[in-house]
């Protein structure tokens, strides 16, 4: 974000497992798809590259101009992102381990009015529209207002901040990746496996025999192999993908 002019990256949702939305030079349609075309190692994979792990990416190139995307036809109308994944190099085996743990929390939670304040303001709306309104015209009568004020009948006249009651203040996100690379003059390899876990913000209450929270687990894998068949011919094999497990209430 910010390193390539004209490229905007924004999350499509705050839900665990939600993908990011990328646009190049703004949106071209209010109703159509504005996502660019992804090309991974020379293969067109469509408009979704969520199966890629950041640790598997060697480089990215963004094509924005019509002349640069013309070879992709209408599929490249929203721009093209060319991704090159990492490959093995000749030398000793190298093992790399990356691990991170983060905390996710709401950017801002609005402070809500209590039940009594809300009831007063709701009745005030009616009074502003009709100065001659009587108690019968109000949404909340005097008895209900008194119950909210005294909080002596919490079952019938509750006073609950549902956001604070239902949501935790923060959730945990972890990401781990292990890759092995190396090779000889004739065979080179890059093998990577990764794991991502995102927890949701919903609280798990006692007595519930099921998990009511949003959770997301992703296992990704990649194997890039280069074989020197002859002095002038190299066979490249690339296998990659992911397995995701999402839990929703």
């Amino acid at each position: 974000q910010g390193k390539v002019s004209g490229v905007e990256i924004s999350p499509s949702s705050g839900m665990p497992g939600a993908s990011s939305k990328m646009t190049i030079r703004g949106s071209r349609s209010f109703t159509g798809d504005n996502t660019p075309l992804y090309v991974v190692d020379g293969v067109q994979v469509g408009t979704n590259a969520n199966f890629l792990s950041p640790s598997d990416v060697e480089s990215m190139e963004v094509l924005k101009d019509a002349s640069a995307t013309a070879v992709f036809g209408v599929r490249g109308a929203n721009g093209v992102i060319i991704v090159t994944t990492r490959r093995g190099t000749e030398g000793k085996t190298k093992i790399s381990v990356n691990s991170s743990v983060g905390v996710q929390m709401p950017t801002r939670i609005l402070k809500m009015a209590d039940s009594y304040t809300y009831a007063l303001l709701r009745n005030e709306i009616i009074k502003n529209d009709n100065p001659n309104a009587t108690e019968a015209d109000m949404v909340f009568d005097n008895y209900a207002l008194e119950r909210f004020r005294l909080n002596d009948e919490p079952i019938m006249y509750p006073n609950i901040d549902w956001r604070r009651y239902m949501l935790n203040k923060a959730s945990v996100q972890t990401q781990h990746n292990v890759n092995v690379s190396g090779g000889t003059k004739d065979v080179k390899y890059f093998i990577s496996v990764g794991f991502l876990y995102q927890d949701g913000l919903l609280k798990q209450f006692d007595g519930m025999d099921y998990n009511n929270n949003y959770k997301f687990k992703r296992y990704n894998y990649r194997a890039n192999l280069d074989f020197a068949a002859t002095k002038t011919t190299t066979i490249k094999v690339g296998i990659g993908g992911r397995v995701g497990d999402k839990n929703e209430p």
Side-chain angles (χ1 to χ4, degrees):
Q1 178 76 2
K3 293 186 177 181
V4 181
S5 61
V7 177
E8 298 178 2
I9 303 174
S10 60
S12 59
S13 153
M15 184 176 65
S19 60
S20 297
K21 178 182 178 181
M22 181 180 294
T23 57
I24 299 176
R25 289 184 172 175
S27 299
R28 293 167 172 79
S29 172
F30 291 107
T31 58
D33 189 6
N34 294 293
T35 54
L37 172 67
Y38 290 91
V39 179
V40 180
D41 291 336
V43 179
Q44 298 183 22
V45 298
T47 58
N48 192 331
N50 291 331
F51 62 90
L52 284 174
S53 173
S55 59
D56 297 342
V57 176
E58 178 71 26
S59 64
M60 290 180 61
E61 183 179 357
V62 180
L63 305 182
K64 298 178 287 185
D65 298 330
S67 58
T69 61
V71 67
F72 299 98
V74 69
R75 299 192 67 187
N78 294 321
V80 180
I81 297 178
I82 298 178
V83 180
T84 302
T85 58
R86 297 173 62 183
R87 310 197 75 87
T89 56
E90 184 177 347
K92 295 182 179 179
T93 300
K94 298 179 181 179
I95 301 175
S96 176
V97 179
N98 296 315
S99 182
S100 63
V101 179
V103 177
Q104 300 179 112
M105 60 182 61
T107 304
R108 180 185 180 191
I109 296 181
L110 298 178
K111 184 177 180 180
M112 307 298 291
D114 58 21
S115 298
Y116 178 64
T117 303
Y118 171 81
L120 287 177
L121 294 175
R122 187 65 182 85
N123 284 351
E124 186 176 333
I125 293 175
I126 298 177
K127 291 181 180 178
N128 290 337
D129 292 338
N130 182 13
N132 299 321
T134 63
E135 182 180 351
D137 299 322
M138 300 299 165
V139 177
F140 301 98
D141 57 21
N142 292 334
Y143 178 82
L145 290 174
E146 194 66 7
R147 300 287 72 76
F148 284 132
R149 187 180 70 85
L150 297 176
N151 197 25
D152 53 359
E153 294 186 28
I155 301 299
M156 296 300 297
Y157 301 93
N159 182 27
I160 300 175
D161 187 340
W162 287 105
R163 291 183 180 179
R164 296 185 182 277
Y165 181 75
M166 296 292 296
L167 301 178
N168 290 310
K169 293 183 178 180
S171 63
V172 177
Q173 172 179 309
T174 62
Q175 186 168 2
H176 314 283
N177 184 270
V178 178
N179 61 64
V180 180
S181 63
T184 63
K185 182 179 180 181
D186 297 323
V187 179
K188 302 179 182 64
Y189 57 87
F190 173 83
I191 301 172
S192 173
V193 292
F195 172 71
L196 170 69
Y197 172 75
Q198 290 180 308
D199 197 5
L201 289 172
L202 292 176
K203 293 180 180 180
Q204 182 71 21
F205 296 98
D206 296 335
M208 301 181 68
D209 57 354
Y210 63 93
N211 192 335
N212 74 307
N213 199 4
Y214 287 94
K215 292 180 184 291
F216 178 71
K217 296 179 182 179
R218 185 191 70 193
Y219 305 87
N220 59 274
Y221 57 90
R222 174 161 292 278
N224 289 340
L225 307 175
D226 299 336
F227 302 96
T230 65
K231 292 183 178 180
T232 59
T233 304
T234 300
I235 300 175
K236 295 185 177 182
V237 178
I239 302 173
R242 73 166 189 170
V243 178
D245 181 16
K246 182 181 293 187
N247 183 81
E248 298 181 359

